[in-house]
């Protein structure tokens, strides 16, 4: 097994934060265009999906190339996805709705893309809360089952993106194809494993 | 003394560049480059010939709002003009891809004066007035823009529509070779829009050739567009090449794409729910907070009578 390189995790962490830093800097220097709050919401939403997809890439890579060391970074990527999701949701609650809870509730009920996005986020919360090594140890098999929620969350996130798109479906389509491939890799493993067991 | 017989291939004395000129060769190159750049710039930048239509002192209009204008940079760099790209900054970045010269507008259908017109045929400089209108996009943002144009109705009257002309259909330029957005089927190109004849004839409906005192930038729909201030922005069709007087309600681009979201009328209406954006409030570009959206975008007094007796939640 490859020995852990001590600086990789912090370096990766900083790299993952770069888009957030760039957005914050853009907001501060007024470089996000004429509608900066929209840019902030849209970009943090995209980064949430990108990091969710990155998180889902780890397991197939480990299986395909035996890169066990990657497992160490999966939690980090998942938490980063959650972080971008939290900023994304906050920009909506604050800059779109100004914490008008009645209006927000109506939005969740009336607009399928909000319903999907909100569910995607809610599903990430228990995953973030149980992300510690300790929780993983204590929960055992239940932890594995619970964390499969990320599949549903990513799917809901994709629906959210598709349903809010007006006409240009190129980018959501790319994410959807990547998601489909990542899921396919898992289904194939499940079938080969069960075939091998029987 | 050396006597040389020049060979036929030798340079003749007169053909040799004088030393003084030769030493200026760098400057010569620079001048050539500057000249070329000047010529290219003249070709790329909005030409002054169409700018001549814009009066230096346009008439003011009683229809103008006194609200603060949206920053010109924002109004010209935050655009929905899918022909030039689907992102808000694409149209300004790719503005040069819209070829506006030569430009003609074809008028056809139920009218006495069909034909092919230039922009100058349709609009006379001395008639142009400045109209400061609120612009409300269906995406829940808004601007205040000083347009330059004439009432569409006055132009349409000159074309003498017949009694069969119950609607007016408009079409944007179709040029997929130059317009990158038209190379993908995100909409059913070309972009088409339409108004009921009384909407088209309403004095608020503006046939527009300029904004902020200047000729329209390409990304804002040069050289000629309409502005219908009480309807969502996508009804104000840009870069018009065809006007057609018709009897039946014409198809409209966004309605064809997503009929349950975008109706033919698409009047600004805070009470009609939209599956994508709540239309109750809007963000004025440049402001942090949101403001309540007004019925007919604040032009209720002028236009409500057009829709008397209509169920606006059905005819949205």
């Amino acid at each position: 097994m490859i020995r852990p390189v001590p600086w990789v995790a912090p370096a990766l962490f900083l790299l993952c934060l770069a888009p957030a830093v760039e957005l914050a800097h853009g907001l501060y220097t007024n470089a996000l265009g004429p509608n900066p709050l929209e840019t902030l919401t849209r970009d943090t939403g995209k980064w949430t999906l990108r990091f969710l997809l990155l998180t889902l890439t780890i397991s197939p890579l480990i299986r395909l190339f035996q890169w066990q060391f990657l497992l160490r970074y999966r939690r980090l990527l998942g938490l980063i996805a959650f972080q971008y999701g939290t900023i994304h949701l906050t920009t909506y609650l604050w800059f779109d709705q100004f914490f008008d809870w009645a209006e927000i509730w109506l939005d969740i009920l009336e607009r399928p893309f909000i319903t999907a996005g909100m569910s995607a986020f809610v599903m990430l919360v228990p995953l973030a809360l149980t992300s510690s090594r300790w929780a993983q140890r204590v929960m055992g098999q239940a932890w594995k089952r619970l964390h499969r929620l990320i599949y549903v969350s990513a799917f809901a996130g994709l629906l959210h993106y598709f349903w809010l798109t007006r006409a240009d479906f190129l980018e959501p389509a790319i994410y959807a194809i990547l998601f489909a491939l990542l899921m396919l890799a898992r289904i194939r493993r499940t079938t080969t494993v069960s075939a091998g067991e029987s | 003394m050396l006597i040389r017989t020049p060979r036929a291939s030798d340079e003749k004395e007169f053909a040799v560049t004088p030393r003084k000129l030769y030493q200026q060769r760098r400057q010569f190159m620079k001048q050539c480059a500057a000249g070329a750049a000047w010529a290219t710039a003249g070709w790329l930048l909005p030409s002054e010939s169409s700018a001549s239509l814009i009066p230096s002192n346009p008439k003011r209009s009683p229809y103008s709002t006194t609200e603060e204008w949206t920053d010109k940079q924002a109004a010209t760099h935050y655009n929905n003009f899918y022909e030039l790209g689907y992102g808000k900054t694409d149209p300004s970045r790719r503005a040069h891809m819209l070829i506006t010269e030569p430009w003609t507008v074809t008028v056809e259908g139920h009218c006495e004066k069909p034909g092919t017109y230039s922009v100058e045929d349709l609009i006379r400089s001395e008639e142009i007035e400045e109209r400061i209108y609120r612009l409300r996009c269906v995406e829940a943002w808004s601007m205040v823009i000083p347009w330059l144009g004439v009432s569409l109705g006055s132009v349409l009257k000159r074309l003498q529509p017949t009694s069969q002309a119950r609607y007016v259909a408009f079409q944007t330029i179709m040029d997929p070779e130059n317009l990158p957005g038209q190379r993908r089927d995100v909409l059913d190109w070309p972009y088409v829009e339409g108004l009921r004849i009384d909407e088209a004839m309403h004095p608020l409906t503006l046939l527009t050739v300029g904004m902020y005192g200047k000729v329209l930038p390409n990304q804002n729909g040069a050289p000629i567009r309409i502005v219908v201030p009480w309807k969502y922005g996508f009804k104000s069709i840009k870069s018009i090449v065809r006007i057609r007087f018709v009897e039946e309600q014409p198809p409209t681009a966004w309605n064809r794409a997503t009929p349950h979201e975008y109706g033919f009328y698409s009047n600004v209406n805070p009470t009609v729910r939209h599956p994508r954006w709540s239309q109750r409030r809007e963000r004025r570009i440049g402001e942090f907070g949101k403001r309540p959206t007004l019925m007919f975008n604040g032009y209720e007094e002028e236009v409500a009578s057009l829709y008397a007796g209509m169920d606006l939640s059905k005819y949205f």
Side-chain angles (χ1 to χ4, degrees):
Chain A
M1 188 168 163
I2 307 162
R3 277 168 55 87
V5 185
W7 53 265
V8 169
L12 183 65
F13 177 66
L14 289 178
L15 189 69
C16 295
L17 283 186
V21 172
E22 202 193 335
L23 279 172
H25 182 254
L27 202 61
Y28 184 70
T29 56
N30 199 15
L32 298 187
N35 199 349
L37 300 176
E38 180 195 62
T39 309
L40 191 65
T41 305
R42 193 198 51 211
D43 285 9
T44 49
K46 285 184 184 182
W47 283 111
T48 310
L49 272 175
R50 289 169 191 162
F51 276 106
L52 276 178
L53 291 175
L54 267 177
T55 312
L56 290 175
T57 312
I58 298 293
S59 301
L61 283 182
I62 291 175
R63 219 185 49 260
L64 274 174
F65 304 108
Q66 317 301 321
W67 290 345
Q68 301 299 334
F69 67 96
L70 280 178
L71 191 60
R72 238 173 275 132
Y73 309 115
R74 192 174 61 181
R75 177 203 334 261
L76 173 65
L77 290 173
L79 284 172
I80 290 285
F82 180 70
Q83 177 234 206
Y84 280 102
T86 308
I87 304 175
H88 179 63
L89 175 67
T90 309
T91 60
Y92 163 77
L93 297 176
W94 189 356
F95 309 136
D96 271 335
Q97 300 292 5
F98 295 91
F99 304 110
D100 182 340
W101 300 108
E103 191 79 11
I104 291 163
W105 182 239
L106 215 61
D107 226 11
I108 296 173
L109 295 180
E110 272 193 346
R111 302 204 160 72
F113 86 93
I114 298 280
T115 321
M118 205 60 88
S119 334
F121 179 81
V122 167
M123 282 184 261
L124 287 183
V125 175
L127 307 194
L129 290 177
T130 58
S131 63
S132 68
R133 246 177 259 270
W134 176 79
Q136 198 168 359
R137 214 173 28 245
V138 170
M139 291 173 71
Q141 281 301 310
W143 189 92
K144 278 201 159 175
R145 275 199 302 275
L146 175 67
H147 279 250
R148 286 196 189 120
L149 256 185
I150 190 175
Y151 308 143
V152 192
S153 173
F155 182 74
L158 282 171
L159 271 187
H160 168 69
Y161 195 8
F162 263 97
W163 285 344
L164 70 84
T165 300
R166 260 183 104 175
D168 178 17
F169 290 95
L170 182 65
E171 197 169 340
I174 291 171
Y175 296 168
I177 289 167
L178 290 174
F179 177 72
L181 289 174
L182 292 168
M183 293 315 285
L184 215 62
R186 288 171 166 79
I187 291 166
R188 277 197 42 204
R189 179 193 53 179
T190 324
T191 44
T192 30
V193 166
S194 46
E197 278 167 352
S198 62
Chain B
M1 189 179 177
L2 173 71
I3 298 172
R4 266 184 63 189
T5 317
R7 275 171 295 180
S9 63
D10 276 355
E11 213 63 90
K12 300 285 188 295
E13 191 67 35
F14 67 83
V16 176
T17 310
R19 188 181 183 82
K20 205 173 166 189
L21 273 183
Y22 175 71
Q23 283 171 336
Q24 289 172 355
R25 68 197 185 281
R26 280 165 198 273
Q27 200 188 338
F28 176 72
M29 291 301 287
K30 272 184 208 158
Q31 277 165 354
C32 283
W38 177 255
T40 318
W43 174 62
L44 284 178
L45 299 172
S47 87
E48 289 302 307
S49 67
S50 53
S52 68
L53 192 62
I54 304 295
S56 52
N57 225 334
K59 288 182 278 187
R60 284 159 194 273
S61 164
Y63 291 118
S64 286
T65 169
T66 54
E67 287 162 274
E68 194 186 333
W69 300 2
T70 297
D71 179 38
K72 185 185 175 186
Q73 171 76 13
T76 55
H77 291 77
Y78 187 76
N79 307 102
N80 279 327
F81 195 3
Y82 276 33
E83 283 78 353
L84 290 170
Y86 321 123
K88 291 282 185 297
T89 54
D90 294 335
S92 54
R93 224 161 21 84
R94 298 171 173 164
H96 62 278
M97 295 179 180
L98 173 69
I99 314 292
T100 59
E101 278 185 39
W103 194 275
T104 55
V105 180
T106 304
V107 175
E108 55 192 22
H110 300 297
C111 69
E112 303 290 346
K113 304 260 165 140
T116 304
Y117 295 89
S118 71
V119 174
E120 290 79 5
D121 292 337
L122 295 174
I123 294 186
R124 298 188 203 111
S125 181
E126 61 273 16
E127 293 172 337
I128 291 178
E129 47 184 278
E130 183 174 69
R131 299 266 187 103
I132 304 155
Y133 280 163
R134 290 177 287 276
L135 171 82
R136 172 61 156 78
C137 178
V138 71
E139 296 165 352
W141 53 266
S142 65
M143 296 183 179
V144 174
I145 297 176
W147 303 105
L148 291 163
V150 300
S151 272
L152 175 67
S154 67
V155 178
L156 295 187
K157 267 179 216 150
R158 286 211 296 271
L159 302 170
Q160 298 176 19
T162 66
S163 58
Q164 279 163 292
R166 295 182 53 229
Y167 293 89
V168 190
F170 303 91
Q171 188 209 302
T172 298
I173 183 177
M174 178 72 179
D175 183 15
E177 228 166 88
N178 291 304
L179 298 171
Q182 289 184 332
R183 284 177 226 147
R184 277 180 49 212
D185 294 335
V186 300
L187 286 172
D188 192 358
W189 307 110
Y191 195 91
V192 286
E193 258 305 335
L195 295 171
R196 223 168 53 189
I197 190 88
D198 56 342
E199 296 177 321
M201 290 292 185
H202 192 279
L204 274 177
T205 305
L206 196 72
L207 189 60
T208 306
V209 290
M211 62 196 281
Y212 294 87
K214 297 267 169 58
V215 67
L216 272 180
N218 285 0
Q219 64 268 33
N220 293 86
I224 189 163
R225 64 172 295 175
I226 58 170
V227 175
V228 194
W230 72 93
K231 292 175 180 285
Y232 293 121
F234 64 85
K235 292 292 291 183
S236 295
I237 185 171
K238 300 184 176 94
S239 305
I240 297 169
V241 294
R242 192 179 300 272
I243 298 176
R244 188 185 176 91
F245 295 96
V246 293
E247 205 168 353
E248 303 291 322
Q249 180 178 302
T252 57
W254 280 104
N255 176 257
R256 262 198 311 217
T258 328
H260 64 282
E261 286 186 37
Y262 313 103
F264 172 78
Y265 288 95
S266 288
N267 294 317
V268 175
N269 188 338
T271 65
V272 170
R273 71 172 290 276
H274 189 279
R276 224 174 267 270
W277 308 276
S278 166
Q279 301 299 6
R280 280 182 278 267
R281 287 177 296 176
E282 68 199 49
R283 170 167 285 124
R284 183 67 52 85
I285 294 300
E287 292 179 358
F288 174 70
K290 289 193 173 182
R291 55 176 69 213
T293 289
L294 305 173
M295 188 65 197
F296 294 115
N297 200 23
Y299 299 97
E300 188 170 13
E301 208 180 298
E302 288 89 348
V303 301
S305 59
L306 292 174
Y307 311 101
M310 278 174 71
D311 179 359
L312 292 179
S313 59
K314 189 175 166 220
Y315 298 100
F316 58 88

